[in-house]
Amino acid sequence: MVAWSVTSQDALRKLLSDQRVSKDPRQHWPRFVNGEIDEQWPLLIWVAVQNMFTAYGSDHRRLRSLVSKAFTPRRTTAMRPQIEQITTELLDDLATRPQPVDLREGFAYPVPIEVICRLFGVPADARPGLRKVVDGVFDTTLTAEEAVANQHELYRIMHELVALKRAEPGDDLTSGLIAVREDDGSSLAENELVDTLILVISAGHETTVNLLDHAITALLTHPRQLEMVRSGEVPWSEVIEETLRWQAPVANLPLRYAVADIDLGDVVIRQGDAILASYAAAGRDKSVYGDTADVYDVTREEKAHLAFGHGVHYCLGAPLARLEAEVALSALFTRFPDIELAVDPSELRSTESFISNGHLTLPVKLF
């Protein structure tokens, strides 16, 4: 399968807000419409789900409106005490472990997965299975058979969650999505509901895992900048934005499709062509950030990035990700002032994915 990889920040920003670009393969990707993309394609779930992630035009507006009614700023803000509690409990546990520890496994991963599971009311006994299948969604090394099996298990878990919340609704986002209605009385169809849960639960925690992972790595490999943050000279918000620019949590996001021919000057993306949003490359665009584009610098004035997307598909969960990162990073570096990497930075290995951008492990000495 061939797609245009858009790495220029200017070009990507324009395409993300261009009405001639769609995320709906059922309308605008001839290969999908013609049946050339079958169930064995490992990336099928990234294009075939039916939620606001893959919707276009009025259908997208309807779905996003429904989800926004349930996933409100108030609900996000109300999560702070729980995020603080989760963070404290994890740090308490890490303090009892032999050194070094894997901070991705012991901190960067469990903070957002626990937050998202509480937010959506995922039962404790379902969480290990959910983690496994979500990891599989982002693992682009899976065989076709493994990917299909993983998708089936993911749908089984989501359907069980919906059934549980229909029978026993609570003050959680799954129950909120089931109950939400538009002014005309319309609601999410069953397949839209399940696919929306897949979107917000999987993407909603994986991005934050990688944000925490890379922020910790960046600060531990840039001690002068860490000192500036600890002293209060630089706020945590600057750390978060520079990390999102420098190492976008989602490196490449499939897929979008040209509704009509789009002339970008140097190239023309033809109607029906697939487009890959290359967020990681856009964050290092030298035409925007100059010759220091590859350098991590929390004092950089220009930190604007596309890590959470742009335009109508801008990530609804961005405020929650930023909140989690602010709470977790501040608590980690306050609790363990002598934290340091346990390996040379060159030994850190990337996740096995061209979508997810993180490390396989993050070994550190906390004290």
Side-chain angles (χ1 to χ4, degrees):
M1 199 278 290
V2 177
W4 290 96
S5 177
V6 184
T7 59
S8 158
Q9 186 166 127
D10 180 62
L12 184 55
R13 189 183 300 275
K14 289 177 180 176
L15 287 174
L16 293 178
S17 57
D18 194 323
Q19 293 184 354
R20 296 172 298 171
V21 176
S22 168
K23 295 193 75 174
D24 187 347
R26 291 169 177 83
Q27 292 189 65
H28 302 121
W29 193 22
R31 294 198 62 184
F32 193 93
V33 174
N34 297 335
E36 297 176 45
I37 306 299
D38 61 29
E39 289 188 0
Q40 297 301 307
W41 189 44
L43 296 181
L44 181 66
I45 195 169
W46 286 94
V47 304
V49 288
Q50 292 184 275
N51 53 36
M52 62 183 182
F53 181 76
T54 57
Y56 176 75
S58 60
D59 196 34
H60 172 263
R61 289 191 291 274
R62 176 183 64 85
L63 291 170
R64 190 175 180 97
S65 173
L66 283 165
V67 175
S68 298
K69 288 176 183 291
F71 198 177
T72 61
R74 180 197 63 79
R75 192 183 287 271
T76 295
T77 302
M79 289 297 296
R80 178 180 281 273
Q82 293 194 59
I83 297 170
E84 292 173 343
Q85 177 194 8
I86 291 165
T87 300
T88 299
E89 291 174 353
L90 287 169
L91 295 178
D92 288 344
D93 177 63
L94 287 169
T96 68
R97 296 189 188 182
Q99 303 299 302
V101 297
D102 178 1
L103 212 55
R104 182 176 174 94
E105 175 66 23
F107 189 70
Y109 199 107
V111 169
I113 191 64
E114 182 65 18
V115 169
I116 210 75
C117 283
R118 291 193 187 186
L119 182 63
F120 283 88
V122 179
D125 59 359
R127 294 176 188 180
L130 177 63
R131 171 179 177 171
K132 182 178 179 181
V133 292
V134 169
D135 284 348
V137 170
F138 285 88
D139 185 352
T140 52
T141 68
L142 295 183
T143 66
E145 292 77 13
E146 290 170 336
V148 169
N150 190 73
Q151 291 169 24
H152 288 167
E153 180 63 8
L154 175 59
Y155 273 99
R156 184 192 67 78
I157 293 172
M158 290 297 101
H159 278 291
E160 285 189 357
L161 176 61
V162 170
L164 172 64
K165 294 303 174 179
R166 286 195 189 281
E168 303 174 17
D171 184 22
D172 55 73
L173 197 46
T174 302
S175 300
L177 289 171
I178 291 171
V180 71
R181 295 290 187 275
E182 283 284 41
D183 293 338
D184 62 3
S186 64
S187 61
L188 290 168
E190 188 74 9
N191 64 316
E192 294 173 339
L193 173 62
V194 171
D195 283 354
T196 295
L197 289 173
I198 289 174
L199 166 64
V200 291
I201 291 178
S202 57
H205 90 265
E206 181 72 17
T207 51
T208 311
V209 173
N210 293 334
L211 170 56
L212 291 174
D213 176 345
H214 280 300
I216 294 166
T217 304
L219 291 175
L220 293 182
T221 52
H222 297 81
R224 170 60 186 139
Q225 295 187 52
L226 174 56
E227 182 181 333
M228 295 170 69
V229 177
R230 279 181 162 151
S231 70
E233 182 179 348
V234 174
W236 283 107
S237 59
E238 296 297 307
V239 172
I240 293 167
E241 297 312 308
E242 176 63 354
T243 303
L244 289 166
R245 178 204 71 81
W246 187 61
Q247 293 283 6
V250 174
N252 303 282
L253 189 62
L255 280 172
R256 286 172 166 81
Y257 321 97
V259 176
D261 289 356
I262 303 173
D263 188 349
L264 296 178
D266 295 334
V267 299
V268 176
I269 300 177
R270 297 298 180 187
Q271 180 179 352
D273 283 357
I275 301 168
L276 188 69
S278 298
Y279 295 124
R284 302 289 188 94
D285 190 338
K286 290 188 177 181
S287 70
V288 178
Y289 307 109
D291 292 336
T292 63
D294 294 333
V295 177
Y296 185 82
D297 182 5
V298 294
T299 66
R300 179 189 306 277
E301 289 187 10
E302 179 55 69
K303 295 187 181 72
H305 57 78
L306 299 174
F308 288 124
H310 180 68
V312 296
H313 285 280
Y314 183 80
C315 178
L316 273 177
L320 180 60
R322 288 185 168 105
L323 175 60
E324 291 178 64
E326 178 188 341
V327 171
L329 292 171
S330 175
L332 172 69
F333 285 97
T334 299
R335 178 71 175 271
F336 300 110
D338 298 321
I339 183 175
E340 61 182 27
L341 280 177
V343 298
D344 188 88
S346 64
E347 296 180 43
L348 296 175
R349 295 291 176 261
S350 298
T351 50
E352 297 175 328
S353 174
F354 77 89
I355 299 174
S356 178
N357 177 27
H359 296 109
L360 289 173
T361 62
L362 185 56
V364 303
K365 296 177 183 177
L366 297 174
F367 43 80

